[in-house]
């Protein structure tokens, strides 16, 4: 699949796959804005994506985030078809670790997947019993 991208700044990098069969490609910090008073660091990726109709981009934190004091603020970012503005990731400071992201670091990862068109049908009853809720699997 070919995806058109736009680099919005001099420091913006074309996303890359670390390995041929990886599920996500890496996004790089083009600029970092630290706001410790509010517990936020903003990583400007400065790349825009032309995601085709019928697809969606999902942004996740990388597993290496555990080495830093950061946690992706919204857990998963959703990039819809038609949104071509530069991507930014916001992280919460969650520890006092001295490790920080630097410009040029891989700070997040993204996957572009098909988005099914869902049609909803309102029913009175599902015709089956609910299996439970929080932590209920195997408890009864």
């Amino acid at each position: 699949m070919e995806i058109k991208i736009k680099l919005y700044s001099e420091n913006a990098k074309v996303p890359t796959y670390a390995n041929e069969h990886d599920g996500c490609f890496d996004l790089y910090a083009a600029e970092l804005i630290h706001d410790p008073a509010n517990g936020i660091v903003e990583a400007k990726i400065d790349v825009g994506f032309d995601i085709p109709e019928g697809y969606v981009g999902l942004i996740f934190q990388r597993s290496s985030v555990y080495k830093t004091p950061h946690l992706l603020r919204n857990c998963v970012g959703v990039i819809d078809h038609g949104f071509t503005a530069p991507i930014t990731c916001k992280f919460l400071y969650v520890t006092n670790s001295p490790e920080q992201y630097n410009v040029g670091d891989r700070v997040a990862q993204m996957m572009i997947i098909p988005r099914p068109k869902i049609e909803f049908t309102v029913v009175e009853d599902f015709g089956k019993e609910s299996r439970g809720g929080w932590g209920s699997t195997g408890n009864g």
Side-chain angles (χ1 to χ4, degrees), residues 23-136:
C24 294
F25 50 85
D26 292 319
L27 301 174
Y28 296 83
E31 180 183 356
L32 293 163
I33 301 167
H34 294 271
D35 181 5
N38 290 308
I40 300 288
V41 62
E42 182 176 342
K44 292 185 174 229
I45 308 303
D46 282 350
V47 176
F49 293 84
D50 186 11
I51 296 175
E53 188 174 343
Y55 288 82
V56 64
L58 301 175
I59 298 176
F60 304 94
Q61 63 188 18
R62 299 181 71 248
S63 59
S64 62
V65 75
Y66 84 91
K67 299 176 187 176
T68 74
H70 306 120
L71 181 64
L72 193 58
R73 179 68 174 98
N74 60 338
C75 299
V76 176
V78 177
I79 309 301
D80 292 314
H81 159 74
F83 181 84
T84 57
I87 301 296
T88 295
C89 297
K90 291 192 178 188
F91 294 88
L92 288 175
Y93 289 110
V94 292
T95 72
N96 292 324
S97 168
E99 294 291 322
Q100 298 287 328
Y101 284 132
N102 296 300
V103 170
D105 285 352
R106 295 175 296 168
V107 297
Q109 56 188 339
M110 185 172 172
M111 173 187 294
I112 297 176
I113 60 173
R115 182 211 37 92
K117 183 66 177 168
I118 306 297
E119 293 182 26
F120 298 96
T121 302
V122 177
V123 298
E124 293 292 324
D125 191 311
F126 289 118
K128 58 184 175 184
E129 201 171 312
S130 173
R131 66 176 204 145
W134 300 90
S136 64

Side-chain angles (χ1 to χ4, degrees), residues 3-25:
I3 300 288
K4 294 177 185 173
I5 64 170
K6 180 177 178 179
L7 304 179
Y8 282 91
S9 72
E10 196 173 285
N11 287 337
K13 289 186 176 186
V14 174
T16 61
Y17 285 96
N19 298 290
E20 180 183 355
H21 299 290
D22 287 351
C24 294
F25 50 85

